[in-house]
mmCIF file of all heavy atoms in Angstrom:
data_model
loop_
_atom_site.group_PDB
_atom_site.id
_atom_site.type_symbol
_atom_site.label_atom_id
_atom_site.label_comp_id
_atom_site.label_asym_id
_atom_site.label_seq_id
_atom_site.Cartn_x
_atom_site.Cartn_y
_atom_site.Cartn_z
ATOM 1 N N LYS Z 109 3.347 14.949 27.898
ATOM 2 C CA LYS Z 109 4.795 15.152 27.858
ATOM 3 C C LYS Z 109 5.424 14.497 26.628
ATOM 4 O O LYS Z 109 6.391 15.020 26.064
ATOM 5 C CB LYS Z 109 5.428 14.591 29.133
ATOM 6 C CG LYS Z 109 5.080 15.379 30.388
ATOM 7 C CD LYS Z 109 5.789 14.795 31.604
ATOM 8 C CE LYS Z 109 5.468 15.594 32.862
ATOM 9 N NZ LYS Z 109 6.143 15.019 34.054
ATOM 10 N N ARG Z 110 4.888 13.344 26.186
ATOM 11 C CA ARG Z 110 5.462 12.664 25.019
ATOM 12 C C ARG Z 110 5.263 13.510 23.763
ATOM 13 O O ARG Z 110 6.160 13.620 22.927
ATOM 14 C CB ARG Z 110 4.821 11.291 24.835
ATOM 15 C CG ARG Z 110 5.149 10.304 25.952
ATOM 16 C CD ARG Z 110 4.480 8.970 25.694
ATOM 17 N NE ARG Z 110 5.019 8.321 24.515
ATOM 18 C CZ ARG Z 110 4.384 7.365 23.848
ATOM 19 N NH1 ARG Z 110 3.189 6.963 24.229
ATOM 20 N NH2 ARG Z 110 4.940 6.800 22.786
ATOM 21 N N LEU Z 111 4.083 14.119 23.631
ATOM 22 C CA LEU Z 111 3.834 14.987 22.484
ATOM 23 C C LEU Z 111 4.726 16.223 22.559
ATOM 24 O O LEU Z 111 5.294 16.646 21.548
ATOM 25 C CB LEU Z 111 2.364 15.401 22.441
ATOM 26 C CG LEU Z 111 1.984 16.399 21.343
ATOM 27 C CD1 LEU Z 111 2.354 15.876 19.972
ATOM 28 C CD2 LEU Z 111 0.493 16.724 21.406
ATOM 29 N N GLN Z 112 4.873 16.790 23.765
ATOM 30 C CA GLN Z 112 5.723 17.964 23.929
ATOM 31 C C GLN Z 112 7.168 17.652 23.562
ATOM 32 O O GLN Z 112 7.853 18.459 22.937
ATOM 33 C CB GLN Z 112 5.651 18.463 25.379
ATOM 34 C CG GLN Z 112 6.389 19.770 25.620
ATOM 35 C CD GLN Z 112 5.851 20.909 24.776
ATOM 36 O OE1 GLN Z 112 4.644 21.008 24.541
ATOM 37 N NE2 GLN Z 112 6.735 21.768 24.288
ATOM 38 N N ARG Z 113 7.619 16.441 23.916
ATOM 39 C CA ARG Z 113 8.990 16.057 23.629
ATOM 40 C C ARG Z 113 9.228 15.956 22.123
ATOM 41 O O ARG Z 113 10.264 16.406 21.615
ATOM 42 C CB ARG Z 113 9.312 14.732 24.315
ATOM 43 C CG ARG Z 113 10.783 14.337 24.210
ATOM 44 C CD ARG Z 113 11.158 13.303 25.247
ATOM 45 N NE ARG Z 113 10.343 12.103 25.178
ATOM 46 C CZ ARG Z 113 9.446 11.741 26.113
ATOM 47 N NH1 ARG Z 113 9.276 12.497 27.174
ATOM 48 N NH2 ARG Z 113 8.740 10.644 25.982
ATOM 49 N N ILE Z 114 8.277 15.363 21.410
ATOM 50 C CA ILE Z 114 8.466 15.220 19.963
ATOM 51 C C ILE Z 114 8.362 16.580 19.272
ATOM 52 O O ILE Z 114 9.048 16.838 18.275
ATOM 53 C CB ILE Z 114 7.462 14.208 19.350
ATOM 54 C CG1 ILE Z 114 7.926 13.815 17.930
ATOM 55 C CG2 ILE Z 114 6.064 14.772 19.276
ATOM 56 C CD1 ILE Z 114 7.146 12.674 17.331
ATOM 57 N N LEU Z 115 7.549 17.483 19.811
ATOM 58 C CA LEU Z 115 7.465 18.827 19.245
ATOM 59 C C LEU Z 115 8.797 19.566 19.410
ATOM 60 O O LEU Z 115 9.201 20.342 18.531
ATOM 61 C CB LEU Z 115 6.335 19.622 19.917
ATOM 62 C CG LEU Z 115 4.907 19.257 19.493
ATOM 63 C CD1 LEU Z 115 3.900 19.986 20.361
ATOM 64 C CD2 LEU Z 115 4.677 19.578 18.030
ATOM 65 N N GLU Z 116 9.476 19.303 20.532
ATOM 66 C CA GLU Z 116 10.769 19.929 20.777
ATOM 67 C C GLU Z 116 11.844 19.422 19.814
ATOM 68 O O GLU Z 116 12.863 20.088 19.610
ATOM 69 C CB GLU Z 116 11.196 19.690 22.220
ATOM 70 C CG GLU Z 116 10.339 20.451 23.238
ATOM 71 C CD GLU Z 116 10.659 20.060 24.661
ATOM 72 O OE1 GLU Z 116 11.488 19.131 24.853
ATOM 73 O OE2 GLU Z 116 10.092 20.664 25.589
ATOM 74 N N GLU Z 117 11.617 18.233 19.229
ATOM 75 C CA GLU Z 117 12.563 17.664 18.280
ATOM 76 C C GLU Z 117 12.336 18.181 16.856
ATOM 77 O O GLU Z 117 13.052 17.812 15.934
ATOM 78 C CB GLU Z 117 12.464 16.135 18.293
ATOM 79 C CG GLU Z 117 12.881 15.508 19.620
ATOM 80 C CD GLU Z 117 12.658 14.006 19.631
ATOM 81 O OE1 GLU Z 117 12.100 13.490 18.635
ATOM 82 O OE2 GLU Z 117 13.027 13.366 20.621
ATOM 83 N N MET Z 118 11.322 19.037 16.701
ATOM 84 C CA MET Z 118 10.989 19.572 15.399
ATOM 85 C C MET Z 118 11.479 21.012 15.256
ATOM 86 O O MET Z 118 11.649 21.730 16.237
ATOM 87 C CB MET Z 118 9.461 19.545 15.182
ATOM 88 C CG MET Z 118 8.853 18.163 15.223
ATOM 89 S SD MET Z 118 9.298 17.177 13.777
ATOM 90 C CE MET Z 118 8.983 15.509 14.402
ATOM 91 N N VAL Z 119 11.700 21.415 14.019
ATOM 92 C CA VAL Z 119 11.951 22.823 13.709
ATOM 93 C C VAL Z 119 10.598 23.452 13.415
ATOM 94 O O VAL Z 119 9.884 23.008 12.511
ATOM 95 C CB VAL Z 119 12.881 22.971 12.492
ATOM 96 C CG1 VAL Z 119 13.014 24.438 12.106
ATOM 97 C CG2 VAL Z 119 14.251 22.372 12.786
ATOM 98 N N LYS Z 120 10.241 24.470 14.183
ATOM 99 C CA LYS Z 120 8.927 25.103 14.038
ATOM 100 C C LYS Z 120 9.061 26.443 13.336
ATOM 101 O O LYS Z 120 9.903 27.267 13.702
ATOM 102 C CB LYS Z 120 8.278 25.285 15.406
ATOM 103 C CG LYS Z 120 6.906 25.952 15.361
ATOM 104 C CD LYS Z 120 6.347 26.109 16.769
ATOM 105 C CE LYS Z 120 5.016 26.855 16.769
ATOM 106 N NZ LYS Z 120 4.474 27.019 18.142
ATOM 107 N N LYS Z 121 8.220 26.650 12.323
ATOM 108 C CA LYS Z 121 8.183 27.928 11.625
ATOM 109 C C LYS Z 121 6.734 28.415 11.593
ATOM 110 O O LYS Z 121 5.827 27.647 11.266
ATOM 111 C CB LYS Z 121 8.717 27.777 10.195
ATOM 112 C CG LYS Z 121 10.183 27.357 10.125
ATOM 113 C CD LYS Z 121 10.663 27.233 8.687
ATOM 114 C CE LYS Z 121 12.128 26.803 8.632
ATOM 115 N NZ LYS Z 121 12.611 26.678 7.239
ATOM 116 N N HIS Z 122 6.544 29.677 11.925
ATOM 117 C CA HIS Z 122 5.188 30.231 11.947
ATOM 118 C C HIS Z 122 4.988 31.163 10.754
ATOM 119 O O HIS Z 122 5.775 32.084 10.522
ATOM 120 C CB HIS Z 122 4.939 31.000 13.246
ATOM 121 C CG HIS Z 122 3.541 31.556 13.342
ATOM 122 N ND1 HIS Z 122 2.434 30.762 13.555
ATOM 123 C CD2 HIS Z 122 3.094 32.835 13.227
ATOM 124 C CE1 HIS Z 122 1.344 31.520 13.588
ATOM 125 N NE2 HIS Z 122 1.714 32.771 13.381
ATOM 126 N N ASP Z 123 3.923 30.895 9.995
ATOM 127 C CA ASP Z 123 3.554 31.735 8.862
ATOM 128 C C ASP Z 123 2.481 32.714 9.329
ATOM 129 O O ASP Z 123 1.342 32.319 9.606
ATOM 130 C CB ASP Z 123 3.024 30.869 7.719
ATOM 131 C CG ASP Z 123 2.748 31.671 6.452
ATOM 132 O OD1 ASP Z 123 2.601 32.900 6.549
ATOM 133 O OD2 ASP Z 123 2.695 31.061 5.375
ATOM 134 N N ILE Z 124 2.846 33.979 9.426
ATOM 135 C CA ILE Z 124 1.917 34.985 9.942
ATOM 136 C C ILE Z 124 0.713 35.159 9.023
ATOM 137 O O ILE Z 124 -0.426 35.274 9.480
ATOM 138 C CB ILE Z 124 2.638 36.346 10.121
ATOM 139 C CG1 ILE Z 124 3.768 36.212 11.148
ATOM 140 C CG2 ILE Z 124 1.649 37.432 10.544
ATOM 141 C CD1 ILE Z 124 4.580 37.469 11.322
ATOM 142 N N LEU Z 125 0.939 35.169 7.714
ATOM 143 C CA LEU Z 125 -0.147 35.423 6.765
ATOM 144 C C LEU Z 125 -1.239 34.360 6.844
ATOM 145 O O LEU Z 125 -2.429 34.672 6.790
ATOM 146 C CB LEU Z 125 0.410 35.501 5.343
ATOM 147 C CG LEU Z 125 1.320 36.706 5.049
ATOM 148 C CD1 LEU Z 125 1.847 36.627 3.634
ATOM 149 C CD2 LEU Z 125 0.559 38.017 5.265
ATOM 150 N N SER Z 126 -0.834 33.080 6.946
ATOM 151 C CA SER Z 126 -1.828 32.001 7.005
ATOM 152 C C SER Z 126 -2.121 31.550 8.430
ATOM 153 O O SER Z 126 -2.955 30.663 8.644
ATOM 154 C CB SER Z 126 -1.334 30.799 6.190
ATOM 155 O OG SER Z 126 -0.147 30.267 6.762
ATOM 156 N N ALA Z 127 -1.418 32.130 9.407
ATOM 157 C CA ALA Z 127 -1.582 31.761 10.820
ATOM 158 C C ALA Z 127 -1.384 30.259 11.024
ATOM 159 O O ALA Z 127 -2.129 29.600 11.746
ATOM 160 C CB ALA Z 127 -2.958 32.186 11.322
ATOM 161 N N THR Z 128 -0.357 29.743 10.360
ATOM 162 C CA THR Z 128 -0.086 28.303 10.397
ATOM 163 C C THR Z 128 1.276 28.028 11.013
ATOM 164 O O THR Z 128 2.259 28.703 10.693
ATOM 165 C CB THR Z 128 -0.114 27.706 8.978
ATOM 166 O OG1 THR Z 128 -1.384 27.969 8.370
ATOM 167 C CG2 THR Z 128 0.116 26.195 9.018
ATOM 168 N N ASP Z 129 1.320 27.027 11.900
ATOM 169 C CA ASP Z 129 2.591 26.540 12.438
ATOM 170 C C ASP Z 129 3.053 25.364 11.583
ATOM 171 O O ASP Z 129 2.296 24.405 11.385
ATOM 172 C CB ASP Z 129 2.431 26.082 13.891
ATOM 173 C CG ASP Z 129 2.202 27.244 14.839
ATOM 174 O OD1 ASP Z 129 2.745 28.326 14.585
ATOM 175 O OD2 ASP Z 129 1.468 27.065 15.833
ATOM 176 N N TRP Z 130 4.292 25.431 11.089
ATOM 177 C CA TRP Z 130 4.851 24.357 10.270
ATOM 178 C C TRP Z 130 5.939 23.646 11.053
ATOM 179 O O TRP Z 130 6.795 24.285 11.666
ATOM 180 C CB TRP Z 130 5.424 24.915 8.974
ATOM 181 C CG TRP Z 130 4.378 25.508 8.075
ATOM 182 C CD1 TRP Z 130 4.058 26.819 7.940
ATOM 183 C CD2 TRP Z 130 3.506 24.783 7.203
ATOM 184 N NE1 TRP Z 130 3.032 26.978 7.032
ATOM 185 C CE2 TRP Z 130 2.671 25.740 6.567
ATOM 186 C CE3 TRP Z 130 3.333 23.430 6.904
ATOM 187 C CZ2 TRP Z 130 1.695 25.378 5.643
ATOM 188 C CZ3 TRP Z 130 2.361 23.079 5.984
ATOM 189 C CH2 TRP Z 130 1.553 24.040 5.363
ATOM 190 N N TYR Z 131 5.902 22.306 11.025
ATOM 191 C CA TYR Z 131 6.858 21.502 11.777
ATOM 192 C C TYR Z 131 7.682 20.636 10.818
ATOM 193 O O TYR Z 131 7.136 19.885 9.998
ATOM 194 C CB TYR Z 131 6.138 20.593 12.776
ATOM 195 C CG TYR Z 131 5.346 21.356 13.824
ATOM 196 C CD1 TYR Z 131 3.982 21.598 13.651
ATOM 197 C CD2 TYR Z 131 5.955 21.820 14.982
ATOM 198 C CE1 TYR Z 131 3.246 22.299 14.606
ATOM 199 C CE2 TYR Z 131 5.228 22.515 15.951
ATOM 200 C CZ TYR Z 131 3.879 22.755 15.747
ATOM 201 O OH TYR Z 131 3.163 23.437 16.696
ATOM 202 N N TYR Z 132 9.017 20.750 10.941
ATOM 203 C CA TYR Z 132 9.957 19.967 10.139
ATOM 204 C C TYR Z 132 10.828 19.142 11.085
ATOM 205 O O TYR Z 132 11.233 19.628 12.148
ATOM 206 C CB TYR Z 132 10.862 20.877 9.305
ATOM 207 C CG TYR Z 132 10.127 21.775 8.336
ATOM 208 C CD1 TYR Z 132 9.561 22.978 8.770
ATOM 209 C CD2 TYR Z 132 10.018 21.441 6.995
ATOM 210 C CE1 TYR Z 132 8.893 23.815 7.889
ATOM 211 C CE2 TYR Z 132 9.357 22.280 6.098
ATOM 212 C CZ TYR Z 132 8.791 23.458 6.548
ATOM 213 O OH TYR Z 132 8.136 24.287 5.673
ATOM 214 N N ASP Z 133 11.126 17.906 10.688
ATOM 215 C CA ASP Z 133 12.020 17.092 11.503
ATOM 216 C C ASP Z 133 13.421 17.683 11.467
ATOM 217 O O ASP Z 133 13.923 18.055 10.404
ATOM 218 C CB ASP Z 133 12.035 15.650 10.979
ATOM 219 C CG ASP Z 133 12.829 14.725 11.872
ATOM 220 O OD1 ASP Z 133 12.424 14.520 13.021
ATOM 221 O OD2 ASP Z 133 13.869 14.221 11.416
ATOM 222 N N LYS Z 134 14.073 17.778 12.634
ATOM 223 C CA LYS Z 134 15.397 18.397 12.713
ATOM 224 C C LYS Z 134 16.438 17.674 11.860
ATOM 225 O O LYS Z 134 17.350 18.290 11.326
ATOM 226 C CB LYS Z 134 15.866 18.437 14.173
ATOM 227 C CG LYS Z 134 15.221 19.544 14.991
ATOM 228 C CD LYS Z 134 15.803 19.590 16.393
ATOM 229 C CE LYS Z 134 15.184 20.721 17.208
ATOM 230 N NZ LYS Z 134 15.721 20.777 18.593
ATOM 231 N N SER Z 135 16.285 16.359 11.761
ATOM 232 C CA SER Z 135 17.283 15.584 11.009
ATOM 233 C C SER Z 135 17.022 15.598 9.514
ATOM 234 O O SER Z 135 17.837 15.113 8.733
ATOM 235 C CB SER Z 135 17.279 14.129 11.492
ATOM 236 O OG SER Z 135 16.077 13.475 11.101
ATOM 237 N N SER Z 136 15.888 16.147 9.116
ATOM 238 C CA SER Z 136 15.526 16.137 7.696
ATOM 239 C C SER Z 136 16.266 17.244 6.961
ATOM 240 O O SER Z 136 16.012 18.432 7.158
ATOM 241 C CB SER Z 136 14.017 16.322 7.534
ATOM 242 O OG SER Z 136 13.667 16.404 6.171
ATOM 243 N N SER Z 137 17.199 16.853 6.110
ATOM 244 C CA SER Z 137 17.966 17.829 5.336
ATOM 245 C C SER Z 137 17.068 18.477 4.290
ATOM 246 O O SER Z 137 16.261 17.822 3.649
ATOM 247 C CB SER Z 137 19.142 17.141 4.640
ATOM 248 O OG SER Z 137 19.753 18.023 3.735
ATOM 249 N N GLN Z 138 17.203 19.769 4.144
ATOM 250 C CA GLN Z 138 16.475 20.486 3.099
ATOM 251 C C GLN Z 138 17.451 21.166 2.149
ATOM 252 O O GLN Z 138 17.163 22.192 1.547
ATOM 253 C CB GLN Z 138 15.524 21.502 3.738
ATOM 254 C CG GLN Z 138 14.432 20.842 4.583
ATOM 255 C CD GLN Z 138 13.500 21.847 5.231
ATOM 256 O OE1 GLN Z 138 13.069 22.802 4.587
ATOM 257 N NE2 GLN Z 138 13.183 21.640 6.481
ATOM 258 N N ASP Z 139 18.626 20.552 2.030
ATOM 259 C CA ASP Z 139 19.664 21.056 1.135
ATOM 260 C C ASP Z 139 19.199 20.932 -0.315
ATOM 261 O O ASP Z 139 18.832 19.845 -0.773
ATOM 262 C CB ASP Z 139 20.950 20.256 1.346
ATOM 263 C CG ASP Z 139 22.146 20.864 0.621
ATOM 264 O OD1 ASP Z 139 21.934 21.627 -0.339
ATOM 265 O OD2 ASP Z 139 23.274 20.558 1.025
ATOM 266 N N LYS Z 140 19.218 22.028 -1.039
ATOM 267 C CA LYS Z 140 18.730 22.034 -2.416
ATOM 268 C C LYS Z 140 19.635 21.262 -3.365
ATOM 269 O O LYS Z 140 19.258 20.984 -4.496
ATOM 270 C CB LYS Z 140 18.575 23.474 -2.897
ATOM 271 C CG LYS Z 140 17.530 24.260 -2.123
ATOM 272 C CD LYS Z 140 17.464 25.707 -2.582
ATOM 273 C CE LYS Z 140 16.440 26.488 -1.773
ATOM 274 N NZ LYS Z 140 16.374 27.917 -2.191
ATOM 275 N N THR Z 141 20.862 20.944 -2.902
ATOM 276 C CA THR Z 141 21.793 20.209 -3.756
ATOM 277 C C THR Z 141 21.853 18.729 -3.390
ATOM 278 O O THR Z 141 22.824 18.049 -3.722
ATOM 279 C CB THR Z 141 23.204 20.814 -3.661
ATOM 280 O OG1 THR Z 141 23.684 20.697 -2.318
ATOM 281 C CG2 THR Z 141 23.192 22.268 -4.073
ATOM 282 N N GLU Z 142 20.823 18.222 -2.724
ATOM 283 C CA GLU Z 142 20.751 16.808 -2.375
ATOM 284 C C GLU Z 142 19.536 16.173 -3.023
ATOM 285 O O GLU Z 142 18.515 16.827 -3.247
ATOM 286 C CB GLU Z 142 20.664 16.620 -0.850
ATOM 287 C CG GLU Z 142 21.952 16.888 -0.103
ATOM 288 C CD GLU Z 142 21.835 16.508 1.360
ATOM 289 O OE1 GLU Z 142 20.899 15.782 1.717
ATOM 290 O OE2 GLU Z 142 22.680 16.964 2.150
ATOM 291 N N ASN Z 143 19.646 14.875 -3.309
ATOM 292 C CA ASN Z 143 18.474 14.105 -3.719
ATOM 293 C C ASN Z 143 17.790 13.665 -2.432
ATOM 294 O O ASN Z 143 18.383 12.930 -1.634
ATOM 295 C CB ASN Z 143 18.884 12.889 -4.544
ATOM 296 C CG ASN Z 143 19.267 13.276 -5.957
ATOM 297 O OD1 ASN Z 143 18.425 13.688 -6.742
ATOM 298 N ND2 ASN Z 143 20.550 13.179 -6.274
ATOM 299 N N LEU Z 144 16.568 14.109 -2.213
ATOM 300 C CA LEU Z 144 15.922 13.811 -0.939
ATOM 301 C C LEU Z 144 14.406 13.779 -1.056
ATOM 302 O O LEU Z 144 13.811 14.307 -1.995
ATOM 303 C CB LEU Z 144 16.350 14.839 0.118
ATOM 304 C CG LEU Z 144 16.180 16.326 -0.220
ATOM 305 C CD1 LEU Z 144 14.777 16.814 0.134
ATOM 306 C CD2 LEU Z 144 17.208 17.165 0.529
ATOM 307 N N LEU Z 145 13.812 13.111 -0.055
ATOM 308 C CA LEU Z 145 12.371 13.062 0.118
ATOM 309 C C LEU Z 145 12.095 13.341 1.588
ATOM 310 O O LEU Z 145 12.688 12.700 2.456
ATOM 311 C CB LEU Z 145 11.830 11.678 -0.280
ATOM 312 C CG LEU Z 145 10.319 11.428 -0.143
ATOM 313 C CD1 LEU Z 145 9.905 10.283 -1.079
ATOM 314 C CD2 LEU Z 145 9.894 11.068 1.270
ATOM 315 N N PHE Z 146 11.232 14.291 1.874
ATOM 316 C CA PHE Z 146 10.883 14.551 3.271
ATOM 317 C C PHE Z 146 9.445 15.053 3.365
ATOM 318 O O PHE Z 146 8.864 15.519 2.372
ATOM 319 C CB PHE Z 146 11.853 15.556 3.916
ATOM 320 C CG PHE Z 146 11.773 16.950 3.349
ATOM 321 C CD1 PHE Z 146 10.918 17.904 3.904
ATOM 322 C CD2 PHE Z 146 12.572 17.337 2.283
ATOM 323 C CE1 PHE Z 146 10.851 19.191 3.392
ATOM 324 C CE2 PHE Z 146 12.523 18.621 1.773
ATOM 325 C CZ PHE Z 146 11.654 19.554 2.329
ATOM 326 N N ALA Z 147 8.874 14.946 4.551
ATOM 327 C CA ALA Z 147 7.515 15.403 4.801
ATOM 328 C C ALA Z 147 7.525 16.400 5.949
ATOM 329 O O ALA Z 147 8.475 16.459 6.731
ATOM 330 C CB ALA Z 147 6.608 14.220 5.131
ATOM 331 N N TYR Z 148 6.478 17.183 6.049
ATOM 332 C CA TYR Z 148 6.352 18.147 7.139
ATOM 333 C C TYR Z 148 4.875 18.401 7.407
ATOM 334 O O TYR Z 148 4.006 18.092 6.585
ATOM 335 C CB TYR Z 148 7.101 19.445 6.822
ATOM 336 C CG TYR Z 148 6.697 20.125 5.539
ATOM 337 C CD1 TYR Z 148 5.818 21.199 5.538
ATOM 338 C CD2 TYR Z 148 7.218 19.700 4.305
ATOM 339 C CE1 TYR Z 148 5.449 21.839 4.367
ATOM 340 C CE2 TYR Z 148 6.859 20.327 3.133
ATOM 341 C CZ TYR Z 148 5.975 21.398 3.161
ATOM 342 O OH TYR Z 148 5.607 22.015 1.995
ATOM 343 N N VAL Z 149 4.582 18.950 8.593
ATOM 344 C CA VAL Z 149 3.200 19.107 9.057
ATOM 345 C C VAL Z 149 2.887 20.580 9.286
ATOM 346 O O VAL Z 149 3.721 21.323 9.829
ATOM 347 C CB VAL Z 149 2.975 18.328 10.366
ATOM 348 C CG1 VAL Z 149 1.546 18.547 10.884
ATOM 349 C CG2 VAL Z 149 3.242 16.850 10.166
ATOM 350 N N GLY Z 150 1.703 20.998 8.878
ATOM 351 C CA GLY Z 150 1.227 22.352 9.139
ATOM 352 C C GLY Z 150 -0.099 22.314 9.871
ATOM 353 O O GLY Z 150 -0.936 21.444 9.602
ATOM 354 N N GLN Z 151 -0.301 23.248 10.791
ATOM 355 C CA GLN Z 151 -1.556 23.267 11.542
ATOM 356 C C GLN Z 151 -1.895 24.678 12.013
ATOM 357 O O GLN Z 151 -1.048 25.387 12.550
ATOM 358 C CB GLN Z 151 -1.500 22.327 12.744
ATOM 359 C CG GLN Z 151 -2.846 22.189 13.468
ATOM 360 C CD GLN Z 151 -2.802 21.171 14.589
ATOM 361 O OE1 GLN Z 151 -1.833 21.098 15.331
ATOM 362 N NE2 GLN Z 151 -3.856 20.370 14.700
ATOM 363 N N LYS Z 152 -3.152 25.060 11.781
ATOM 364 C CA LYS Z 152 -3.696 26.270 12.381
ATOM 365 C C LYS Z 152 -4.347 25.895 13.713
ATOM 366 O O LYS Z 152 -4.624 24.718 13.959
ATOM 367 C CB LYS Z 152 -4.745 26.906 11.456
ATOM 368 C CG LYS Z 152 -4.205 27.344 10.110
ATOM 369 C CD LYS Z 152 -5.310 27.962 9.272
ATOM 370 C CE LYS Z 152 -4.784 28.380 7.905
ATOM 371 N NZ LYS Z 152 -5.848 28.998 7.070
ATOM 372 N N LYS Z 153 -4.595 26.866 14.540
ATOM 373 C CA LYS Z 153 -5.201 26.591 15.845
ATOM 374 C C LYS Z 153 -6.577 25.948 15.676
ATOM 375 O O LYS Z 153 -7.396 26.398 14.884
ATOM 376 C CB LYS Z 153 -5.328 27.876 16.658
ATOM 377 C CG LYS Z 153 -4.005 28.404 17.201
ATOM 378 C CD LYS Z 153 -4.218 29.602 18.107
ATOM 379 C CE LYS Z 153 -2.877 30.068 18.675
ATOM 380 N NZ LYS Z 153 -3.050 31.248 19.573
#
Side-chain angles (χ1 to χ4, degrees):
K109 291 182 179 179
R110 293 180 66 200
L111 176 57
Q112 186 60 37
R113 187 161 57 249
I114 195 171
L115 285 173
E116 291 172 355
E117 295 175 355
M118 299 289 160
V119 174
K120 179 181 176 180
K121 297 180 180 180
H122 182 72
D123 186 340
I124 298 176
L125 293 178
S126 64
T128 303
D129 290 327
W130 295 99
Y131 298 95
Y132 300 82
D133 186 65
K134 282 184 179 179
S135 69
S136 176
S137 171
Q138 296 179 44
D139 190 339
K140 296 177 181 179
T141 62
E142 287 187 16
N143 284 292
L144 53 87
L145 179 157
F146 67 91
Y148 56 99
V149 177
Q151 187 175 41
K152 298 180 181 180
K153 287 186 178 180

